[in-house]
Amino acid sequence: MGSCGPRRQCWGLVLRVALVQAAWSAGVGQVRYSVPEEAKAGTVVGRLAQDLGLEAGDAEWRRLRLVSQGRGSSVEVSGASGALVVSSRLDREELCGKSAPCALRLEVLVERPLRVFHVELEVTDINDNAPFFPAARKNLSVSENSPPGSRFPLEGASDADVGANAQLSYTLSPSEHFSLDLQRSEEYRESLFLVLTKPLDRETVPVHRLVLTASDGGRPSLTGTMELVISVLDANDNAPQFNQSVYKVQLLENAAEGMLVVRVNATDEDEELNSEVTYTAINTFPPKGLNVFLLNPKTGEIRLTGALDFEDVRSYEIQIEATDKGTPPLSGHCKVVLEVLDVNDNAPEVWVTSLSVPVSEDAPPGTVVALLSVSDRDSGANGRVRCAVWPSSPFGLVSRFAGSYSLVLREALDRERVWEYEVEVRAEDGGSPPLRATRGVRVPVSDVNDNAPSFLQAVYTVLARENNAAGAELARVWARDPDEAGNGRVSYSLWEGGVGGASPSVGRRAASSYVSVDAESGRVWAVQPLDYEEVQVLQFEVRAVDAGDPPLCGNATVQVFVVDENDNAPALLPSSVGGGWGGSSVEAVPGSLWAWASWGAPAGQVVAKIRAVDADSGYNAWLRYEVWEPRGKGPFRVGLYSGEVTTARALEEADGPRQRLVIVVRDHGEPSRSATATLSVSLVEGGESSSSSSGSSSSSSSGVRPSWGAEVGAASASGASATNVWLVVAICAVSSLFLLALVLYGASRWAPRAAVLSGPGPATLVCASEVGSWSYSQRQSRSLCVAEGAGKSDLMVFSPNFPPPPGPAAKETQPEPPALLDTVSGPPFIASRPLLAHVSLVSLVSLVSPGSRAEWAGPAVGGCLSGA
């Protein structure tokens, strides 16, 4: 360091030494290998990772791979060991032709860290090609005056191999006149001459036939032969001579037709006709060059007359003969070598070698749809092709080997969403500029029965008026099946369902007895007219079945609500009993209705109750009662909705012994229907009223059955009332009875309202149908006890037309929550929306048979109506 001088000069020297070492390392960083052609796949060419200085096992971690293979695609790098191995067949003649040595330049990339190495792979030749001559027979003409030593050029054999395997030696069949002379050159091909060793005598031997044999230098040696037919001529002794024995020319493959390629020139020292030369192309290799080049026989110009294709022929050799016009004519020979240079003039080509369509929509991912073949006739970067598929789903490309791809299914298909795909395979080479090619593949999707028919609605609600005509269309259902052909052809059928609100006389009838469904159109039509009093709700299912194999089906529920029409007039109940407050009573005899009332009865006393029912529902069954005669201020009035006939004022003797009332019962339908009842009220003394009441009870129990009428209470309640009156009279006397009546009357006026329903039947379900009408039935009777005066109660109980539930009847007496009755006011059961209530009303009064003892629970006494 001390001899280096200043410190700055020393550091400069060190830096220069480092740069020289780095440059030396870059220069020697190339690795060379050698492999014989036709080596088997898997043959290890060399330990590439080790030769590049990588540690054992680092090749895969550091991602050692080939970057640009070019024509060396027949080798690859083993990921695990990092060795360079043969992956496919190596043919030196196919890779390099006659070039020697055949060296493939490879680029090796190490990604961790990033480094690039150059690897040169030499493919050595083996003797796998025999020599061959351009023709099996060669005709020569030799003048008999040719001096010994005359030389006649012969077309030598060619061998596709190189090196020693292409070193040819020639032998000639034994002859005393001819021998062979082979001249070799390092720059050009060897030249073979037939040498005349002894003068010829045409008159002795006019034709000489010899066999020329070519042998290569391989082990074992391979041979090829050609027959020489030599005709001995007489005449011209100077042959034309070319100024060059070999003409070398390079042409781009896109050279224009008609351009001048080369001009050959030969001279002849003879004179006159013997010096006039004509040019002839006697041999072209390959033979198709005869159609590509045109030789002018007079000028020796060679012009391009056809298209050149580097991918087809990379070089041409043309042997030209110059012949004079002497007798016999003499000739000279030369060779023209034309090398074709490549340009990127070939776009990639894509072929569909196999197509399997249509593809079933249930095909699993990975199904091969088509086999594709991709190639580019250019070489080098111009011939490297990249492929892609568009759209990228649901199909993809899988490379099987070089130039071969499979179009496979990547995702599940759905024919109902996409029934056909137009797939485009795109290929692009590596030229500059790149050339592209596309190939369209049409992939239809076949259907499977994977969709069941589906209705637009799960439940179809239909309103149908009663008394509709048979065959009338009630509804139309439609199910959609997106499948095609038979898989999507839907037929409809009726599933038996329930019949809601049927009367007990009708029973449970099948839905098919009311409606039918058209199998093709889904039209639901009535088989017979519907009767609301028979059926209120008709519910059934419609099944839609496709014609697939196996068939799939879907169901929809159809609810047909029968809308009531006002087709039934009110009907008076055919029952009658007697009884009343203070001895008032009612009696029905054929053709008339009778009731008794006591003089002095206070206002609001219940005299009788008219009972009527309407088979219709809702407003059509909502009844109101009016006094038709007499009009004006009579002593009696009728409850608008209860039908109770009560005293409008205290009865006096001036009212006469009898009052005749005509009561009209109307419904609220449109148009309204009505019925009339005639009530005769006899005014009697209190004792007579009791006797009449007893007689009425006896008459009723002895078998008198009225045709129609009204009632005030049950027969058993009438007998119990009479028995209680007699007990009170016996104990308290007549004066005490009058005082007790006044007390009870006042208590009934100011006591809290209470109403009780009692009857032998079970608890009744009162419900409104979904179309807003109320079910109503007269088939079950109930008892209504009202504690207050008549005319203020407007509670109306409807019994639905459903059959009673099975099991034992409910108990006669159950406690009734008073809040339910207290909230009922105004027109009975008028609602703006469907209502479902379960009402269970039980009488608080025990009913006993006539003559039996009855004990009252309290002092409140009111009119009690009971039905049979």
Side-chain angles (χ1 to χ4, degrees), residues 430-700:
S432 180
L435 300 179
R436 300 174 179 85
T438 60
R439 174 70 65 179
V441 181
R442 177 177 170 270
V443 183
V445 182
S446 62
D447 183 54
V448 297
N449 191 24
D450 58 344
N451 291 279
S454 61
F455 288 90
L456 295 180
Q457 300 174 221
V459 177
Y460 289 82
T461 301
V462 181
L463 302 181
R465 292 190 174 275
E466 66 172 327
N467 304 320
N468 60 321
E473 181 175 331
L474 300 179
R476 190 181 295 267
V477 296
W478 181 74
R480 177 180 176 273
D481 194 324
D483 295 324
E484 66 176 355
N487 295 333
R489 188 168 60 251
V490 179
S491 60
Y492 303 91
S493 61
L494 178 66
W495 263 23
E496 296 296 341
V499 179
S503 64
S505 60
V506 175
R508 302 290 291 183
R509 295 178 58 180
S512 57
S513 62
Y514 294 95
V515 294
S516 179
V517 179
D518 186 78
E520 295 184 359
S521 65
R523 170 178 169 265
V524 180
W525 50 278
V527 176
Q528 62 180 3
L530 298 176
D531 186 0
Y532 176 84
E533 286 70 41
E534 179 183 344
V535 177
Q536 287 80 47
V537 181
L538 184 61
Q539 179 172 311
F540 54 90
E541 288 190 359
V542 176
R543 166 176 284 188
V545 182
D546 59 27
D549 186 20
L552 301 177
C553 64
N555 297 330
T557 301
V558 179
Q559 294 178 342
V560 179
F561 291 93
V562 182
V563 179
D564 181 47
E565 294 287 341
N566 192 22
D567 56 349
N568 293 279
L572 297 172
L573 293 182
S575 61
S576 65
V577 294
W581 184 86
S584 61
S585 63
V586 62
E587 181 182 3
V589 296
S592 63
L593 182 66
W594 294 86
W596 291 264
S598 301
W599 282 334
Q605 175 62 48
V606 177
V607 177
K609 182 169 182 176
I610 307 299
R611 298 187 64 208
V613 295
D614 195 317
D616 294 324
S617 177
Y619 276 90
N620 296 330
W622 184 19
L623 303 182
R624 66 178 183 268
Y625 302 85
E626 300 176 0
V627 176
W628 187 257
E629 290 183 0
R631 295 186 179 275
K633 295 183 179 180
F636 299 99
R637 61 184 178 186
V638 63
L640 181 60
Y641 298 111
S642 63
E644 292 182 346
V645 179
T646 60
T647 55
R649 54 180 172 79
L651 298 180
E652 302 174 353
E653 294 184 4
D655 293 328
R658 180 176 298 176
Q659 293 287 332
R660 180 176 177 273
L661 304 178
V662 178
I663 299 174
V664 178
V665 183
R666 300 178 187 274
D667 58 27
H668 285 73
E670 289 291 340
S672 176
R673 296 176 177 270
S674 63
T676 59
T678 302
L679 175 64
S680 297
V681 181
S682 299
L683 301 180
V684 296
E685 295 293 340
E688 296 179 4
S689 175
S690 299
S691 301
S692 300
S693 177
S694 300
S696 174
S697 299
S698 302
S699 174
S700 175

Side-chain angles (χ1 to χ4, degrees), residues 716 719-724 727 847-855:
S716 57
S721 177
T723 303
N724 290 334
L727 290 176
L847 302 181
V848 295
S849 59
S852 63
R853 183 177 180 182
E855 297 182 357

Side-chain angles (χ1 to χ4, degrees), residues 812-847:
E812 289 189 359
T813 58
Q814 292 183 0
E816 171 61 20
L820 176 63
L821 296 178
D822 291 341
T823 58
V824 179
S825 63
F829 291 89
I830 299 178
S832 60
R833 62 181 183 270
L835 176 64
L836 180 65
H838 187 194
V839 182
S840 177
L841 304 178
V842 184
S843 174
L844 297 178
V845 182
S846 299
L847 302 181

Side-chain angles (χ1 to χ4, degrees), residues 207-223:
V207 177
H208 295 265
R209 296 183 179 274
L210 304 174
V211 176
L212 178 62
T213 302
S215 302
D216 61 20
R219 293 179 181 276
S221 177
L222 302 178
T223 61

